[in-house]
Amino acid sequence: MEKQFLMGNQAIGLGAIRAGVRVVAGYPGTPSTEILETIAKNNPGDVYVEWSVNEKAALEVAAGAAYAGARTLVTMKQVGLNVASDPLMSLAYVGVKGGMVIAVADDPGPISSQTEQDTRHFAQFSKLPVFDPCSPEEAYEMIVDAFAYSEKYHTPVLFRPTTRVCHGCASIQVDGERQDHDPEGFVKDSSRWVIFPRLSFQNHKMIEGRNPRIGEDFSSYRFNELTGSGKRGIATGGVSYEYTREVLGELTPKLLKVATPHPFPEKLALEFLDGLDEVLVIEELDPVIERELTYLCGKHHLNVTIRGKLTGDIPPAGENTVESVREAVSRFLELPYEAPELPELPSMPIRPPVLCAGCPHRASFYAVKQAMKGKKAVFSGDIGCYTLGNAQPLDMVDTCLCMGADVTMAQGLHRVEPDAVNFSFIGDSTFFASGITGVVNAVYNQTDIVLIVLDNSTTAMTGHQPHPGTGITMMGDVSQKISIPTVLEAIGVKHVATVDPLDLKAAIEAVKEAAGIKGVSAVIFKSPCIAVTKPAGLFSVDEGKCIGCQKCIRELGCPATTMEGKKAFIEPSLCYGCSICAQVCPVGAIGGDQK
Ligand code: SF4
Ligand code: SF4
């Protein structure tokens, strides 16, 4: 045993190793990414770890290993579970042999996601148990329990930390001893592993009988807790429990901590409700615990008022904070509350998120913009760093919905306005994750779209994970690089051009040519992410030549360029030497190590 200062995601990863996990698959996504990376980094030697091509593939890889009796872990962020929901729903019916934990990190706020969806609903929808840790320390212990419950009930279980648990840090007693779980191997049994309507019907009945038993079991689960006394009670779960404890200090109202929101620990909750007049439910995202308690009051004819998000006592969206909980608890317990006086902050310049200085995506967007000047064109974007192409002055992302949707939405847009040129911008990692089927759809249905693949040879936004186009796996093996042009040509895309976007003239010409072709045409802008390459050299402005027209600033928006008086200036600590500003300047005032 030794104490280590760990981030929540590291604690979850080390906890899974301690539980004897043997196969780990996932798809990167904030705030979940470091769970899998921690396991890869601390691999005791017998754990297979992979970044799968997407969350659906990850869940299916893990399901196969769990059928063969291995303890398996899947990692993803909350929107990833939408992608993996097809196998998830069926797997919930079929069940598993080896313990299988599906770690899905929720993102209240949201801080880095498209939605504020609540994975506890997915647990109810799929009828799977869910564990909801309140802190990194608890997550370290709880993931071991999650594997045990999975095996006890032969079902995959969900494990749902939120951002503050994933990215918060704590000193944790780490147990070097590992549980031994040698997989038995796959035992053929088509009546168990092949899903047919008859099996689904039988297993559905079995699940409806089993889940109340799990709920009963959860009533005595070590991390579900009931403390305190009085006529007013507080129910909470996840990180909100920690905030509530901090706010309550020495106060001891009746307090219910729900660590397993589904199946709901009804017996424990009834003990909590017994003798209460009023309850305040403090939770993030949706009113899951609140609805369960309201239902229980109705079912058991309890005259208890339940307050929370549904009654407007807790904000319906966004994160809770210690201060927001303090305000709600003070109101509920009729305690004096004074909003803290916050020091007046000095006015700061507004810094909207922008593409990095020197990012090749800036050049790609600029090239398309120049090529389409004066033409009717719609630009569908996707999820990744390049969503930032929507910012001024580029303004090159007209739609963004979810992973892969740029390719297919462009097709729908084109059906309504065939006189427009419809572009879809997709990153290399997203192309493999969920773009290929969209291209097949376009070729098959003979739609005119221009596919722009922004290939920077990494999964940049989540921290530079490898993907099928990089030729490196998470186990550190060199594998076959899957070539995007070869995939596109094999699908039937007739025109595929690969260009360096930092060669602006060639890039603009390539886009013009692709835009004039009927059917699906593709331009692959290939240039590595500047965060994993060395700067190409510094560029600077020759003050004598600069005429102060600001074209370099107004058209590109590179954070390294600014005006000093009447002349442009390049901040040397930011410039990456991409050379685009030099190619844009009308009087050749910018120079440096030209590419
Ligand atoms: S060369 Fe110009 S556009 Fe490129 S990073 Fe430097 S200042 Fe920015
Ligand atoms: S584009 Fe050239 S001339 Fe115009 S401000 Fe920038 S450096 Fe000066």
Side-chain angles (χ1 to χ4, degrees), residues 357-358 362 539 556 558 560-561 570 574-582 590:
R362 176 175 290 103
F539 277 65
L556 295 175
C558 171
T561 54
I570 291 176
L574 292 177
C575 176
Y576 241 79
C578 73
S579 84
I580 290 301
C581 56
I590 302 177

Side-chain angles (χ1 to χ4, degrees), residues 540-552 563 566-569 582 585-592 594:
S540 58
V541 178
D542 181 336
E543 281 188 29
K545 287 187 185 169
C546 176
I547 54 171
C549 67
Q550 300 189 20
K551 188 173 186 219
C552 53
M563 289 299 284
K566 293 205 158 100
K567 307 285 178 181
F569 172 73
C585 176
V587 294
I590 302 177
Q594 297 272 0

Side-chain angles (χ1 to χ4, degrees), residues 145-206:
D145 298 343
F147 278 106
Y149 272 91
S150 170
E151 270 167 16
K152 181 174 177 185
Y153 291 100
H154 308 291
T155 178
V157 302
L158 289 158
F159 186 84
R160 173 261 191 186
T162 52
T163 309
R164 301 296 166 184
V165 175
C166 292
H167 288 167
C169 290
S171 283
I172 297 173
Q173 204 74 35
V174 175
D175 185 353
E177 197 128 320
R178 221 174 142 213
Q179 295 182 7
D180 209 9
H181 288 280
D182 277 338
E184 180 197 8
F186 182 64
V187 179
K188 290 189 182 197
D189 180 356
S190 59
S191 68
R192 183 173 179 189
W193 303 124
V194 181
I195 191 161
F196 273 119
R198 181 77 200 152
L199 179 72
S200 302
F201 170 69
Q202 282 168 353
N203 284 1
H204 186 189
K205 269 202 304 186
M206 177 277 292

Side-chain angles (χ1 to χ4, degrees), residues 41-348:
K41 206 167 154 198
N42 296 276
N43 196 337
D46 60 0
V47 185
Y48 172 75
V49 188
E50 74 167 41
W51 282 128
S52 305
V53 72
N54 62 25
E55 294 86 350
K56 179 180 185 298
L59 199 136
E60 290 159 353
V61 166
Y67 282 14
R71 284 198 160 185
T72 65
L73 176 70
V74 192
T75 71
M76 63 190 74
K77 68 182 293 176
Q78 92 283 29
V79 286
L81 194 55
N82 303 338
V83 179
S85 62
D86 194 5
L88 179 87
M89 298 305 288
S90 302
L91 191 65
Y93 276 44
V94 174
V96 290
K97 185 160 73 175
M100 178 170 173
V101 178
I102 304 161
V104 184
D106 279 359
D107 182 17
I111 297 170
S112 55
S113 305
Q114 309 92 300
T115 68
E116 267 203 303
Q117 69 190 61
D118 191 325
T119 296
R120 295 175 300 170
H121 283 311
F122 245 120
Q124 293 174 331
F125 180 41
S126 60
K127 304 176 191 297
L128 292 176
V130 60
F131 291 77
D132 188 8
C134 69
S135 66
E137 300 96 308
E138 190 172 276
Y140 177 69
E141 299 290 334
M142 194 183 266
I143 187 112
V144 181
D145 298 343
F147 278 106
Y149 272 91
S150 170
E151 270 167 16
K152 181 174 177 185
Y153 291 100
H154 308 291
T155 178
V157 302
L158 289 158
F159 186 84
R160 173 261 191 186
T162 52
T163 309
R164 301 296 166 184
V165 175
C166 292
H167 288 167
C169 290
S171 283
I172 297 173
Q173 204 74 35
V174 175
D175 185 353
E177 197 128 320
R178 221 174 142 213
Q179 295 182 7
D180 209 9
H181 288 280
D182 277 338
E184 180 197 8
F186 182 64
V187 179
K188 290 189 182 197
D189 180 356
S190 59
S191 68
R192 183 173 179 189
W193 303 124
V194 181
I195 191 161
F196 273 119
R198 181 77 200 152
L199 179 72
S200 302
F201 170 69
Q202 282 168 353
N203 284 1
H204 186 189
K205 269 202 304 186
M206 177 277 292
I207 289 165
E208 297 302 346
R210 177 203 68 194
N211 276 0
R213 289 203 309 280
I214 299 180
E216 176 103 11
D217 204 346
F218 278 164
S219 280
S220 55
Y221 175 52
R222 61 174 172 153
F223 290 120
N224 285 325
E225 292 169 10
L226 176 55
T227 54
S229 59
K231 290 278 175 199
R232 286 182 183 166
I234 297 174
T236 180
V239 75
S240 298
Y241 169 75
E242 294 291 343
Y243 299 158
T244 306
R245 284 296 303 268
E246 186 170 336
V247 165
L248 288 176
E250 302 292 308
L251 298 172
T252 56
K254 228 173 175 186
L255 180 64
L256 175 68
K257 171 174 177 264
V258 181
T260 54
H262 185 76
F264 200 65
E266 288 195 6
K267 199 170 150 208
L268 186 71
L270 283 171
E271 264 179 64
F272 165 70
L273 290 169
D274 187 34
L276 289 179
D277 291 336
E278 238 179 339
V279 169
L280 177 67
V281 185
I282 305 171
E283 58 194 318
E284 285 179 328
L285 300 177
D286 292 336
V288 171
I289 299 172
E290 187 180 349
R291 283 210 169 95
E292 290 283 4
L293 292 176
T294 306
Y295 161 76
L296 273 185
C297 287
K299 185 175 162 191
H300 295 273
H301 308 290
L302 302 175
N303 190 16
V304 184
T305 304
I306 308 293
R307 299 191 173 283
K309 287 171 180 275
L310 296 172
T311 55
D313 291 77
I314 299 290
E319 283 192 293
N320 288 335
T321 61
V322 173
E323 209 41 55
S324 73
V325 170
R326 191 185 308 284
E327 193 183 345
V329 167
S330 303
R331 215 181 312 121
F332 178 65
L333 296 179
E334 294 174 45
L335 301 169
Y337 173 76
E338 247 182 62
E341 261 185 46
L342 298 172
E344 203 156 306
L345 294 171
S347 65
M348 305 278 279

Side-chain angles (χ1 to χ4, degrees), residues 449-462:
I449 60 162
V450 185
L451 177 73
I452 303 285
V453 183
L454 303 167
D455 183 356
N456 60 3
S457 304
T458 188
T459 315
M461 193 168 75
T462 47

